[in-house]
Amino acid sequence: MKTVADARDTNTPVESSPLSQVARFEGRNRLPVTVVLAVLFSLFGALYIWVGPQMIDAGFSEMLDAMPAVVNELFGFESLASIEGLLASEFYTLGWIVGLGGYLAYTAAGTVAGDLGEGRMDTLLAAPVARRSVLGGKFLALLVPIVVLNVVVPAVLSVMALAAGQSLSIVDLAVVHALSVPYLLFWSAFGLLVGIVVRRGRMAGRLALGVVFLGWLGESVIATTDLAWVGAISPMRYFDPQGVLIHGTYDIAGATLLLIGTAVLLAIGQRWFRSHDL
């Protein structure tokens, strides 16, 4: 029997595992959309840095006192007196928490449910490929947009801030994007689970996207009431761009909880996928 080392010595190609094959195939399919998203998010963030000084000079921070508390919670308005405050508000609230989280949940649910509903999953599993490898590969492929956006966007923002003469902490910016990874992984795993259970592409995607939106809306509304403790069930509670960029506080415990939640969702999804007929 040839070992990996023997294959390398004889220039014999070593076959990759089904998990990596599925991950590479799905990952390549996600590259075009990922490039588009990277450009759009970079332009969106760069716009905030470009017009930020004018917004600060115009006294937008005074608007916070006149806004209802629920509006401040919804859009993350905590401080509009600095570039960090501006980015932490609409850009990271609408862009990362709602926008990117919703996209990953939607596309994860759609890709699994679509394959199940249209029979492509039957064709794939007709080959000697374990179900756990298929689901694991699809999950790993979602790292393509997660990694690319969390590398490209902060790099662009840092360069734009430097060009505009703005004092934007590169360390805090890097921490925000590092802490966003567990949050985005959670919604990716949630989307896969929805796709496995629902098995109808568009319906699964819309349901997953709706849960992300309702999670953001519900947590923001509840946070302004005496029932704020109920918001602990929302993943949004554990990713706080405002805390990092404005106050310099890092919620490592929250990121850990999101990673645990991701593992639980993946375990449930794998079990459901193995125990139910296609």
Side-chain angles (χ1 to χ4, degrees), residues 17-28 30 111-112 124 129-144 192 266 270 273:
S17 66
L19 174 65
S20 61
Q21 290 176 354
V22 174
R24 285 202 302 270
F25 176 78
E26 296 285 343
R28 284 195 296 267
R30 294 191 179 280
T111 188
V112 175
L124 179 59
V129 180
R131 293 191 180 196
R132 63 176 179 275
S133 297
V134 174
L135 195 62
K138 286 182 175 293
F139 179 74
L140 289 177
L142 292 167
L143 289 173
V144 172
L192 288 177
L266 285 175
Q270 288 280 18
F273 196 41

Side-chain angles (χ1 to χ4, degrees), residues 206-218:
R206 291 169 182 170
L207 177 60
L209 179 61
V211 172
V212 175
F213 180 79
L214 289 177
W216 163 66
L217 183 64

